[in-house]
């Protein structure tokens, strides 16, 4: 069995300049495919709210829903590190509630780490306490979807020197309180390059250019399964929506034309049992 990826593995990857491969997953069979193909970090992202549950933002997803999906992902994984996203309002109110919810992701869902967004004073305090307890925390800066309304929509962050400096300071603050790594989302490439070079912990970019220590994408985006919108930074490696549509149309045709199931796809009585059954029935006609 392959050795499990840990926070230490990711640190070593950064030191060796080996890129970290990360994707989101929300269910057992997808997690298996990712794990079997060498994905290092699987994030059960709160993007689940949008791509799986059909909400317009990440806000509505609950801790219970996130735990339910994290449990499924964990069951499908042998090697990858599973990180669970703490959903909106599960850690923003007070430290005690945040610790309780983070603990549930480790204890009930068996995730190895949790992810929180931003670097507010309270968030930094929460991260420090979680790390003290022994819960690894991944940070998330740049475009933080839980603050979409405050940020004025889905937009690139850190586009002025002043805003880029704020991002760099936030990244260093996150490192100081003990995150083992952080996501940089929708940040200019030159800004994420400087952040990556000045941090000891790895950065994992999404729409943050090529210089991060690793890359992450929402799996439904890169597989072309989620079609409501496509961010410009997404590279689509498959078109599952199209492949699935074709498969379902073919199935519908086969059912309607009595082409499915065929002989091999049906179960059969042995010839002896069939003869016995016919003799039991005798001349009775069943309607
Ligand atoms: O929820 C999510 O999928 C994420 C990634 C975009 C990093 O936070």
């Amino acid at each position: 069995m392959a050795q499990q990826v840990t926070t230490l593995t990711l640190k070593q990857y950064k030191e060796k300049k080996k890129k970290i491969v990360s994707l989101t997953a929300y269910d057992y069979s997808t997690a298996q495919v990712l794990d079997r193909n060498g994905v290092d970090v699987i994030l059960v992202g709160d993007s689940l709210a949008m791509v799986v549950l059909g909400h317009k933002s990440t806000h509505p997803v609950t801790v219970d829903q996130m735990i339910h999906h994290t449990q499924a992902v964990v069951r499908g994984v042998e090697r990858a590190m599973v990180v669970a996203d703490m959903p909106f309002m599960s850690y923003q109110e007070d430290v005690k509630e945040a610790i309780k919810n983070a603990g549930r992701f480790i204890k009930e869902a068996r995730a190895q780490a949790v992810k929180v967004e931003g670097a507010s004073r309270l968030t930094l305090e929460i991260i420090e306490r979680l790390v003290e307890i022994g819960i690894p925390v991944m940070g998330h800066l740049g475009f933080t979807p839980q603050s979409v309304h405050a940020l004025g929509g889905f937009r690139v962050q850190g586009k002025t020197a002043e805003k880029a400096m704020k991002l760099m300071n936030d990244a260093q603050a996150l490192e100081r309180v003990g995150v083992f790594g952080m996501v940089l989302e929708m940040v200019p490439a030159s800004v994420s390059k400087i952040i990556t070079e000045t941090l000891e912990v790895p950065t994992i970019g999404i729409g943050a250019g090529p210089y991060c220590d690793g890359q992450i994408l929402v799996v439904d985006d890169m597989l072309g399964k989620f079609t409501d919108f496509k961010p410009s930074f997404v590279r689509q490696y498959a078109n599952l929506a199209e492949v699935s549509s074709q498969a379902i149309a073919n199935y519908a045709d086969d059912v309607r034309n009595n082409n499915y199931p065929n002989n091999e796809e049906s179960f059969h009585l042995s010839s002896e049992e069939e003869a016995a059954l016919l003799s039991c029935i005798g001349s009775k006609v069943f309607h």
Side-chain angles (χ1 to χ4, degrees):
M1 203 159 105
Q3 219 181 2
Q4 212 179 9
V5 175
T6 66
T7 54
L8 199 62
T9 320
L10 302 181
K11 194 160 180 276
Q12 288 164 350
Y13 274 28
K14 174 156 182 142
E15 283 160 10
K16 292 182 193 156
K17 298 197 182 311
K18 182 173 172 180
K19 292 278 186 176
I20 298 164
V21 179
S22 185
L23 282 172
T24 66
Y26 318 98
D27 65 79
Y28 174 75
S29 54
T30 307
Q32 277 186 321
V33 176
L34 268 49
D35 193 53
R36 288 170 185 167
N37 286 286
V39 171
D40 302 305
V41 178
I42 299 181
L43 172 71
V44 187
D46 60 357
S47 48
L48 158 72
M50 300 174 77
V51 301
V52 177
L53 304 179
H55 294 295
K56 295 287 176 231
S57 74
T58 60
H59 295 136
V61 72
T62 65
V63 172
D64 285 342
Q65 288 167 334
M66 289 297 298
I67 285 181
H68 176 78
H69 285 267
T70 305
Q71 286 168 333
V73 167
V74 167
R75 285 184 211 115
V77 167
E78 287 181 2
R79 175 186 169 271
M81 176 177 197
V82 178
V83 180
D85 227 352
M86 291 193 63
F88 184 56
M89 294 319 290
S90 68
Y91 62 96
Q92 284 93 339
E93 251 174 321
D94 81 303
V95 179
K96 217 167 142 194
E97 184 71 6
I99 292 173
K100 193 184 101 203
N101 286 326
R104 289 189 64 197
F105 280 106
I106 307 298
K107 200 169 166 153
E108 290 175 43
R110 306 282 168 165
Q112 281 118 296
V114 295
K115 176 168 84 57
V116 298
E117 294 183 5
S120 70
R121 228 173 317 141
L122 183 62
T123 305
L124 293 174
E125 190 185 334
I126 286 162
I127 295 171
E128 200 159 26
R129 290 295 307 281
L130 292 176
V131 173
E132 239 170 51
I133 292 168
I135 299 178
V137 183
M138 178 179 263
H140 186 155
L141 293 176
F143 175 68
T144 45
Q146 292 174 11
S147 307
V148 61
H149 301 315
L151 297 173
F154 291 78
R155 37 179 70 234
V156 179
Q157 302 297 307
K159 280 176 77 177
T160 62
E162 191 188 344
K163 287 182 176 155
M165 280 306 294
K166 162 97 175 78
L167 270 182
M168 289 178 212
N169 289 334
D170 284 352
Q172 284 183 351
L174 286 180
E175 181 167 83
R176 271 198 302 277
V177 293
V179 297
F180 68 88
M182 69 188 73
V183 168
L184 297 177
E185 181 164 355
M186 292 176 76
V187 172
S190 54
V191 177
S192 60
K193 181 174 191 280
I194 298 171
I195 294 177
T196 300
E197 285 171 359
T198 52
L199 291 181
E200 281 181 26
V201 298
T203 59
I204 301 186
I206 172 163
Y211 307 110
C212 293
D213 298 303
Q215 297 291 330
I216 183 165
L217 283 174
V218 169
V219 74
D220 294 55
D221 286 340
M222 62 87 76
L223 290 178
K225 194 174 166 210
F226 178 73
T227 54
D228 286 5
F229 60 88
K230 179 181 164 298
S232 63
F233 56 80
V234 169
R235 187 179 296 174
Q236 210 176 291
Y237 287 83
N239 195 337
L240 288 199
E242 211 172 283
V243 172
S244 307
S245 293
Q246 194 54 61
I248 287 158
N250 291 346
Y251 166 73
D253 274 356
D254 282 350
V255 170
R256 291 190 183 112
N257 297 320
N258 213 14
N259 282 331
Y260 176 82
N262 63 21
N263 203 38
E264 287 77 45
E265 290 154 342
S266 306
F267 297 109
H268 302 284
L269 281 176
S270 66
S271 45
E272 295 79 31
E273 291 301 333
E274 194 156 327
L277 176 64
L278 290 177
S279 93
C280 285
I281 294 168
S283 59
K284 281 184 196 156
V285 177
F286 289 88
H287 296 285

